[in-house]
């Protein structure tokens, strides 16, 4: 859709990336990192100063201490972290439970490693997990369950009762969990992100992925990390060392410096909530139906009162005729379930959101 947006000179609210500048302090830190000689391979696990900052942030926010040497691995982006986790634990014929709609790297990463994705649809329109369906989908071959909160593409979040249900399902099994928490700091309306790091019962079997691309508006810098208990981190690193070996060194220095100031991540929810509220306010009188979003930087809009076209056709027409690009939600489903819903990324300048809303209100 981004390519189509470019071709059509359309406003691009499709792909999830900010269209505004980043904190210049971060650029200064990157420069400082290079000037100070952080230009050679970082250790495989990441620069110690960055791992220390990640450990102290995680302890402060979720009360769990991850060992700086043995339980934190810095990776070039969460996508690679997810792939490295899957390839560390999934062997031929293993089943992996994922929830549709899902971030599009999960399914191919499972299949590339010989695994079998078992795709369970989230209930519509609240995009919650039906834990009974999960229970029925478990088998002796279930190796891993992948959850994602705040959720891309829907913006839904998991609640304490979800973690309780998950804990109960896996407690007498060897099933592992990958908790994709890249939008951990983008959460609204006083909700708190419930990291699996917080849950002593679950964290022992869980890999957590996070992304500095989301937290510092730097998707192009491709930097994230994986938290996991020592025995799981060991398996992860056995494969990861041959995928990238290590991540870009001066960028790690820059993020370590930024993390020293907790306001750089603690204010992110408020920052994006303003954008979400602005966008929702601007489209509230349009013919689109606004779905709830509790976190992430995505807003879903339903066009079921406007057209019966498929969401793919409608999204294409919106881009080509009306010059506004979005993502049709069906592409995030294995069976391309079409709820007549489009995803809009509101990580954009207010002027971009105003222009986008003007277009939507005319339809
Ligand atoms: N997980 C989810 C749910 C995402 O939305 C994204 C980015 N779109 C990622 C992982 C990947 O993050 P990164 O850019 O750090 O690879």
């Amino acid at each position: 859709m981004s390519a189509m947006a470019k071709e059509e000179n359309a406003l691009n609210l499709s792909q999830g990336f900010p269209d505004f500048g980043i904190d210049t302090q971060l650029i200064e830190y990157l420069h400082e990192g290079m000037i100070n000689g952080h230009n050679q391979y970082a250790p495989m696990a990441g620069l110690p100063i960055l791992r220390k900052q990640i450990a102290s942030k995680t302890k402060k926010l979720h009360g769990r201490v991850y060992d700086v040497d043995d339980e934190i691995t810095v990776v070039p982006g969460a996508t690679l972290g997810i792939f490295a986790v899957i390839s560390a634990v999934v062997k031929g014929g293993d089943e992996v439970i994922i929830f549709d709609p899902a971030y599009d790297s999960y399914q191919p990463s499972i299949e590339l490693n010989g695994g079998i994705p078992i795709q369970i649809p989230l209930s519509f329109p609240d995009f919650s997990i039906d834990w009974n369906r999960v229970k029925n989908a478990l088998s002796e071959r279930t190796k891993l369950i992948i959850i994602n909160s705040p959720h891309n593409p829907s913006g839904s979040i998991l609640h304490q009762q979800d973690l309780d249900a998950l804990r109960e399902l896996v407690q007498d099994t060897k099933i592992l969990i990958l908790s994709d928490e890249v939008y951990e700091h983008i959460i609204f309306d006083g909700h708190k992100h419930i990291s699996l790091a917080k849950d002593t019962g679950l964290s022992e079997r869980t890999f957590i992925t996070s992304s500095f691309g989301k937290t510092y508006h730097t998707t192009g810098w491709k930097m994230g990390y994986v938290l996991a208990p020592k025995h799981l981190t060991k398996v992860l690193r056995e494969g990861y060392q041959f995928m990238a070996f290590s991540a870009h060194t001066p960028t790690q220095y820059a993020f370590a410096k930024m993390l020293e100031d907790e306001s750089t991540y603690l204010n992110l929810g408020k920052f994006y909530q303003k954008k979400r509220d602005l966008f929702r306010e601007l489209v509230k009188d349009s013919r689109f139906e606004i779905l709830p979003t509790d976190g992430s930087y995505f807003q879903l809009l339903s066009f079921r009162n406007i057209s019966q076209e498929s969401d793919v056709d409608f999204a294409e027409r919106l881009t080509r005729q009306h010059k506004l690009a979005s993502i049709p939600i069906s592409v995030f489903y294995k069976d391309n379930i079409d709820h007549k819903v489009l995803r809009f990324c509101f990580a954009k300048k207010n002027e971009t959101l105003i222009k986008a809303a003007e277009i939507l209100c005319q339809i």
Side-chain angles (χ1 to χ4, degrees):
M1 293 306 297
S2 276
M4 197 190 291
K6 209 165 183 187
E7 187 187 310
E8 292 291 337
N9 205 13
L11 277 183
N12 187 5
L13 270 64
S14 63
Q15 214 180 344
F17 62 86
D19 73 345
F20 42 83
I22 64 172
D23 191 333
T24 51
Q25 180 69 67
L26 183 56
I27 296 170
E28 277 164 32
Y29 284 144
L30 179 66
H31 190 214
E32 187 178 296
M34 291 173 170
I35 296 288
N36 289 351
H38 293 282
N39 298 305
Q40 307 308 328
Y41 294 128
M44 196 222 310
L47 281 188
I49 48 163
L50 178 56
R51 281 182 280 132
K52 275 187 201 141
Q53 287 296 336
I54 294 168
S56 84
K57 170 169 91 84
T58 312
K59 177 168 177 245
K60 192 168 56 194
L61 297 181
H62 309 306
R64 186 186 153 103
V65 179
Y66 281 89
D67 185 87
V68 169
D69 292 324
D70 296 329
E71 301 189 317
I72 299 170
T73 310
V74 177
V75 290
T79 308
L80 191 126
I82 291 162
F83 189 86
V85 168
I86 292 171
S87 88
V89 301
V90 174
K91 302 286 168 272
D94 285 344
E95 293 177 357
V96 182
I97 292 186
I98 59 176
F99 299 95
D100 272 0
Y103 176 50
D104 52 8
S105 86
Y106 303 158
Q107 181 193 332
S109 302
I110 296 162
E111 288 170 345
L112 279 166
N113 285 289
I116 304 165
I118 306 293
Q119 280 147 294
I120 300 179
L122 294 171
S123 46
F124 184 79
D126 63 348
F127 295 94
S128 61
I129 296 176
D130 177 345
W131 290 102
N132 261 332
R133 286 188 79 155
V134 182
K135 188 174 177 185
N136 294 335
L138 295 184
S139 81
E140 282 151 23
R141 291 191 296 175
T142 310
K143 189 64 186 258
L144 183 70
I145 299 176
I146 304 181
I147 55 174
N148 168 220
S149 177
H151 182 247
N152 175 11
S154 76
S156 69
I157 55 173
L158 292 178
H159 300 277
Q160 189 54 49
Q161 62 267 30
D162 292 299
L163 298 205
D164 294 344
L166 175 60
R167 193 181 325 99
E168 200 174 307
L169 281 189
V170 299
Q171 64 190 358
D172 295 320
T173 71
K174 290 190 173 153
I175 297 170
L176 300 172
I177 296 160
L178 167 54
S179 180
D180 185 3
E181 303 184 10
V182 297
Y183 301 102
E184 59 180 323
H185 301 297
I186 311 180
I187 189 155
F188 313 131
D189 305 319
H191 288 295
K192 287 238 168 334
H193 170 60
I194 309 183
S195 173
L196 263 64
K198 224 182 222 134
D199 192 300
T200 20
L202 288 170
S203 58
E204 270 309 305
R205 58 173 83 221
T206 299
F207 296 90
I208 295 174
T209 47
S210 189
S211 171
F212 292 117
K214 312 293 174 186
T215 303
Y216 289 112
H217 317 302
T218 50
T219 59
W221 289 23
K222 293 302 294 185
M223 185 74 60
Y225 57 90
V226 183
L227 304 175
K230 185 173 176 176
H231 65 285
L232 295 181
T233 295
K234 184 169 175 287
V235 193
L236 169 75
R237 291 182 187 170
E238 275 165 15
Y240 168 65
Q241 66 179 314
F242 302 116
M243 289 178 198
F245 180 70
S246 64
H248 191 250
T249 310
T251 303
Q252 295 190 51
Y253 173 87
F255 286 130
K257 297 297 286 178
M258 285 305 271
L259 285 170
E260 286 175 5
D261 175 2
E262 63 176 26
S263 72
T264 60
Y265 52 87
L266 291 184
N267 292 335
L268 200 63
K270 274 194 216 123
F271 171 81
Y272 274 123
Q273 185 171 330
K274 278 198 198 137
K275 295 207 174 280
R276 179 202 66 169
D277 292 348
L278 172 70
F279 188 56
R280 288 167 72 94
E281 178 62 27
L282 291 167
V283 296
K284 79 171 192 311
D285 295 327
S286 74
R287 293 164 68 209
F288 288 88
E289 216 173 291
I290 304 172
L291 274 66
T293 184
D294 292 328
S296 82
Y297 45 46
F298 301 113
Q299 174 64 58
L300 299 186
L301 297 179
S302 163
F303 61 90
R304 66 180 178 150
N305 297 327
I306 300 173
S307 164
Q308 283 313 304
E309 283 161 280
S310 75
D311 63 353
V312 172
D313 288 348
F314 190 86
E316 181 166 347
R317 195 159 65 80
L318 193 60
T319 312
R320 295 204 191 279
Q321 270 181 30
H322 300 278
K323 307 295 174 200
L324 175 61
S326 59
I327 303 256
I329 287 301
S330 65
V331 304
F332 295 95
Y333 283 93
K334 175 187 166 213
D335 300 323
N336 299 113
I337 298 172
D338 183 0
H339 291 298
K340 314 283 176 221
V341 169
L342 304 178
R343 188 195 80 176
F344 294 84
C345 171
F346 56 80
K348 305 292 167 191
K349 292 179 202 141
N350 289 356
E351 65 194 70
T352 313
L353 297 175
I354 292 167
K355 277 190 206 145
E358 272 168 17
I359 295 173
L360 292 169
C361 287
Q362 282 162 13
I363 290 167

